[in-house]
Amino acid sequence: MSGDVQAQVDLISVSGSLPPGFSLERYQTMLTGLVERGKSVWADTSGEALKTALTVHGICIKVNAAELGGALGMKISNAEQAAKAMHQLQERGISQAVITLGKDGAVFSSDVRVWVAQPPQLEIVSSVGSGDAFLGGLLFALEKGASSEIALQKAVAAGAANALEFGGGTFSLASFEEIFRNTKTSIID
């Protein structure tokens, strides 16, 4: 990322698999450099790349339960287990983390609180692209200054609205708004 672009942005998403030839060491150096420049860096990846991202103090993580469970060597299948995993991430210096739980919503930890959000029951058409829609909704809301609770609620609504359509990446604003209004949030102790 060029210096000009870095100066213009505060929030950066690094998502997906690493390109061929891009080493884990280079990935870690890139993430660390961005965090050290004061950027809010969100990593959404899996496998060895996720394990590498988890070593970067101050990074933010968005993963699904299976991805994080594999990286931490633990089972994560519900909000309570996700909250326990969040505590492990906080101990590693992860500043903010989101664990998605599919139709059961997501859990968001941001320093002092752990929020859970659950969408209404929906008839899913296809989950393709829902994780990306979720992350887009989350980061858009955070960039606009939304609270952790509202950002999580918007992210869940975006991911769920995406799952109502075939093909991924397309959903109606009306569906999003309806799901947002009916997504329940609460704090996990």
Side-chain angles (χ1 to χ4, degrees), residues 102-145:
K103 66 179 177 46
D104 294 324
V107 178
F108 182 18
S109 169
S110 88
D111 295 323
V112 295
R113 291 206 162 123
V114 177
W115 289 94
V116 62
Q118 187 169 15
Q121 189 170 0
L122 301 167
E123 191 163 325
I124 303 302
V125 174
S126 172
S127 63
V128 172
S130 289
D132 295 328
F134 178 101
L135 183 58
L138 178 75
L139 299 184
F140 182 79
L142 291 173
E143 179 69 19
K144 294 296 182 186

Side-chain angles (χ1 to χ4, degrees), residues 19-97:
F22 199 88
S23 70
L24 292 172
E25 180 179 302
R26 188 172 180 193
Y27 182 60
Q28 183 180 36
T29 300
M30 178 189 72
L31 295 176
T32 300
L34 290 169
V35 170
E36 287 174 350
R37 287 175 181 81
K39 306 303 178 183
S40 178
V41 181
W42 283 84
D44 180 7
T45 190
S46 60
E48 293 303 312
L50 174 58
K51 289 178 183 177
T52 299
L54 292 174
T55 68
V56 177
H57 192 271
I59 198 161
C60 306
I61 300 290
K62 180 270 172 198
V63 291
N64 69 42
E67 292 165 342
L68 186 60
L72 296 179
M74 65 186 294
K75 181 180 178 182
I76 304 171
S77 60
N78 60 44
E80 291 74 26
Q81 291 169 341
K84 287 179 184 175
M86 293 290 193
H87 294 297
Q88 284 190 31
L89 295 179
Q90 288 172 339
E91 289 171 4
R92 291 178 179 221
I94 307 298
S95 63
Q96 295 183 83

